[in-house]
């Protein structure tokens, strides 16, 4: 074997492992997190809030969904700190364990008929656990892919992290749709629990894959400075010294977070309440999310050529213009109209989602990148998505079933994102190889087998 090819072959092999690991890890996290959203819309009201009216029970159930979003910024700070101080890999393994175990436990909570209000309390506590784990997962997975990626392909290669999102959504939706085929009594008593318990198998696979990957070369270089005892603040302190970046980035993607939650939770419920068959609506959503896997990668690749901002602005603008007609289609309740609505949504939303795995981390320096990217993303989901299902449900109830207030609210959220995207600078050519404002010494910069200079 030609030994001169060995480093390149090893580098390519490691990159493939990283991309697969990031994809599978995010798929598991989104499976667990969004499975809860579907169950909250269809199941948790009567199971855990049986003492309330159907409408009040649904709103209360969706309220527990919001609790997970409230906990996500806390997870971003916790896992961001340890990921920036001790490595991306360790933080990612911990977040996966926490999310997987939390989801399995949700599947064994007794109903309120068995233990009264304790059922809802346990549900909320486990949702908080899920939120903390989710808060640390996305940023670390995105960084692991981004910091291993080839410079000119950062958007595309980092997007394998985001491609795991719709993949997890497909699995969660299909799993819930299959158990929804059970007779109503069996589905409500034990059938809905099976998809939560199934996450144990995915957890084992995800942990195995994550143990096979190496720490990122960019982070290893940052450790050089720590070993040389250069003065550095804690990652969260460094981020909060310049909070403007976190705030601007969070507001720039608020429309994407809000739209994703609006259609995956409220949209599903709205279609069912307007005559759609529950299983068919879930399958329609799964079909659309299957296309979103490839659309996410396609838009990310486009962002490597055109830039992150143009692709993101296109997605936000098309979502704002299409939200009313899409909800009108969902309101018809037929399988065909629901499929078309969800697919069109996936086409536009993927443009706001594909570039994010590169766009967010590119805004921050290495020693605070995990914290900064995670915190800005989780603040966006908290503000844009956490309370969206409850707000939209309340708007419809208060306006006699009209969808117009919903369309206005969601379009305004996209308009906010466009405004702040115009304020932010393009990031696709940002240099990831610097650590804060301190340049790396020449002895730790080496040419990589991929042909671009990175850090070893």
């Amino acid at each position: 074997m030609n030994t001169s090819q060995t480093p390149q072959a090893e580098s390519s092999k490691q990159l493939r492992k990283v991309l697969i690991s990031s994809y599978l890890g995010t798929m598991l996290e989104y499976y667990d997190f969004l499975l809860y959203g579907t169950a909250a819309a269809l199941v948790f009201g009567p199971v855990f809030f049986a003492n309330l009216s159907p409408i009040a029970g649904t709103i209360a159930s969706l309220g527990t969904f919001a609790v997970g979003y409230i906990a996500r910024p806390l997870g971003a700070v916790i896992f961001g700190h340890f990921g920036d101080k001790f490595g991306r890999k360790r933080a990612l393994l911990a977040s996966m364990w926490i999310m997987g175990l939390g989801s399995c436990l949700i599947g064994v909570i007794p109903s309120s008929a068995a233990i009264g209000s304790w059922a809802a309390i346990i549900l909320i506590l486990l949702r908080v656990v899920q939120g903390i784990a989710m808060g640390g997962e996305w940023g670390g997975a995105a960084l692991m892919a981004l910091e291993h990626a080839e410079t000119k392909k950062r958007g595309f290669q980092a997007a394998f992290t985001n491609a795991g999102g719709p993949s997890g959504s497909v699995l969660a939706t299909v799993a819930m749709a299959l158990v929804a085929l059970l007779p109503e009594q069996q589905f409500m008593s034990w059938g809905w629990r099976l998809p939560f318990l199934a996450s144990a198998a995915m957890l084992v696979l995800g942990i195995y894959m994550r143990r096979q990957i190496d720490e990122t070369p960019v982070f290893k270089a940052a450790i050089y400075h720590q070993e040389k005892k250069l003065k550095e603040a804690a990652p969260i302190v460094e981020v909060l010294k310049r909070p403007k970046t976190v705030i601007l980035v969070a507001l720039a993607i608020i429309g994407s977070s809000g739209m994703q939650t609006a259609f995956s939770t409220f949209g599903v419920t709205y279609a069912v309440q307007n005559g759609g068959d529950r299983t068919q609506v879930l399958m329609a959503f799964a079909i659309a999310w299957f296309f979103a896997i490839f659309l996410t990668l396609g838009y990310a690749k486009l962002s490597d050529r055109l830039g992150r901002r143009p692709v993101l602005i296109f997605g936000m603008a098309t979502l704002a213009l299409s939200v009313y007609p899409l909800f009108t289609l969902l309101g018809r309740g037929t399988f065909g109209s629901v499929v078309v609505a969800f697919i069109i949504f996936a086409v536009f939303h993927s443009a706001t989602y594909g570039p994010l795995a590169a766009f967010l981390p590119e805004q921050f320096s290495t020693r605070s990148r995990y914290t900064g990217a995670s915190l800005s993303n989780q603040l966006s989901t908290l503000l844009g998505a956490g309370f969206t299902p409850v707000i939209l449900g309340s708007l419809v109830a208060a306006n006699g079933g009209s969808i117009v207030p919903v369309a206005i609210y969601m379009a305004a959220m996209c308009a906010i994102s466009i405004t702040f995207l115009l304020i932010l600078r393009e990031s696709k050519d940002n240099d990831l190889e610097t650590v804060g404002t301190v340049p790396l010494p020449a002895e730790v910069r080496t040419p990589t087998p991929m042909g671009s200079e990175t850090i070893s």
Side-chain angles (χ1 to χ4, degrees):
M1 180 182 293
N2 188 346
T3 57
S4 65
Q5 295 180 348
T6 302
Q8 183 173 13
E10 182 61 29
S11 179
S12 298
K13 181 179 179 181
Q14 182 63 207
L15 177 60
R16 286 194 297 271
K17 286 183 178 181
V18 167
L19 297 185
I20 293 172
S21 169
S22 295
Y23 171 80
L24 290 176
T26 309
M27 181 175 68
L28 169 63
E29 301 284 337
Y30 271 80
Y31 171 86
D32 290 338
F33 202 76
L34 294 177
L35 182 65
Y36 189 103
T38 305
L42 300 177
V43 177
F44 289 166
V47 172
F48 296 113
F49 301 96
N51 57 323
L52 302 177
S53 67
I55 294 178
T58 298
I59 292 176
S61 176
L62 292 174
T64 68
F65 180 76
V67 170
Y69 284 93
I70 296 173
R72 283 168 71 160
L74 175 61
V77 173
I78 295 172
F79 284 98
H81 173 80
F82 286 101
D84 281 328
K85 294 289 285 186
F86 305 110
R88 311 341 187 175
K89 180 177 177 179
R90 293 181 184 180
L92 284 172
L93 285 169
S95 70
M96 181 171 284
W97 272 113
I98 293 171
M99 175 65 86
L101 293 176
S103 295
C104 290
L105 291 175
I106 287 175
V108 297
I109 302 174
S111 68
S112 60
I115 60 173
S117 59
W118 279 107
I121 293 172
I122 296 171
L123 178 68
I124 291 171
L125 290 176
L126 289 176
R127 183 58 175 174
V128 169
V129 169
Q130 275 194 328
I132 291 174
M134 189 68 174
E137 165 63 26
W138 181 88
L143 262 63
M144 186 64 75
L146 185 77
E147 292 180 349
H148 274 283
E150 300 167 76
T151 302
K152 298 298 183 182
K153 299 179 181 179
R154 287 201 312 235
F156 175 68
Q157 292 176 349
F160 277 84
T161 300
N162 277 6
S167 301
S169 299
V170 170
L171 288 178
T173 307
V174 169
M176 191 60 74
L178 289 175
V179 295
L181 294 172
L182 292 167
E184 182 74 11
Q185 184 176 359
Q186 295 179 23
F187 171 69
M188 297 302 291
S189 63
W190 57 265
W192 67 268
R193 301 176 184 273
L194 299 180
F196 285 94
L197 297 175
S199 64
M202 297 175 63
L203 172 63
V204 172
L205 175 61
I207 292 294
Y208 172 78
M209 288 301 302
R210 285 219 164 137
R211 291 178 66 88
Q212 308 305 307
I213 60 177
D214 294 334
E215 189 53 78
T216 73
V218 176
F219 180 80
K220 289 178 181 178
I223 293 298
Y224 171 90
H225 289 275
Q226 188 177 38
E227 290 174 348
K228 294 295 182 181
K229 298 182 180 179
L230 296 182
K231 186 177 180 181
E232 289 183 341
I236 186 61
V237 173
E238 184 177 338
V239 169
L240 294 181
K241 280 182 180 178
R242 292 179 288 275
K244 179 180 177 181
T245 303
V246 172
I247 295 170
L248 290 179
V249 173
L251 292 174
I253 62 171
I254 193 174
S256 179
S257 302
M259 282 290 188
Q260 182 180 40
T261 301
F263 278 82
S264 63
T265 56
F266 175 78
V268 170
T269 304
Y270 184 72
V272 172
Q273 290 176 345
N274 283 273
D277 177 78
R278 180 174 59 201
T279 300
Q280 288 187 357
V281 169
L282 291 173
M283 290 307 299
F285 185 77
I287 290 170
W289 242 226
F290 175 76
F291 286 110
I293 298 171
F294 307 99
L295 288 165
T296 295
L297 294 172
Y299 281 120
K301 192 174 184 65
L302 185 63
S303 78
D304 282 328
R305 293 173 59 87
L306 302 181
R308 319 295 184 217
R309 290 198 314 162
V311 178
L312 289 167
I313 290 172
F314 165 79
M316 298 294 181
T318 50
L319 283 174
L321 294 173
S322 64
V323 61
Y324 178 76
L326 291 181
F327 271 109
T328 301
L329 284 172
L330 290 177
R332 293 181 180 177
T334 65
F335 180 70
S337 65
V338 173
V339 168
V340 170
F342 281 140
I343 288 178
I344 294 175
F345 167 72
V347 170
F348 295 150
H349 182 267
S350 296
T352 73
Y353 189 62
L356 288 188
F359 177 72
L360 267 66
E362 285 169 347
Q363 311 297 322
F364 302 93
S365 62
T366 303
R367 292 296 290 156
S368 62
R369 187 170 292 137
Y370 200 140
T371 302
S374 297
L375 187 58
S376 57
N377 186 49
Q378 302 315 327
L379 285 176
S380 171
T381 57
L382 172 61
L383 297 173
F387 298 97
T388 292
V390 175
I391 292 172
L392 299 187
S394 301
L395 286 174
V396 171
N399 290 275
S402 173
I403 206 68
V404 173
V406 169
I408 294 173
Y409 181 84
M410 297 310 302
M413 201 174 289
C414 290
I416 292 172
S417 286
I418 292 173
T419 300
F420 285 95
L421 282 168
L422 293 172
I423 294 173
L424 288 167
R425 294 180 179 180
E426 180 55 54
S427 64
K428 79 179 182 70
D429 296 320
N430 285 2
D431 183 10
L432 299 183
E433 299 177 7
T434 57
V435 185
T437 59
V438 182
L440 291 173
E443 62 266 27
V444 296
R445 298 174 65 88
T446 60
T448 68
M450 294 177 184
S452 61
E453 190 184 36
T454 60
I455 305 159
S456 57

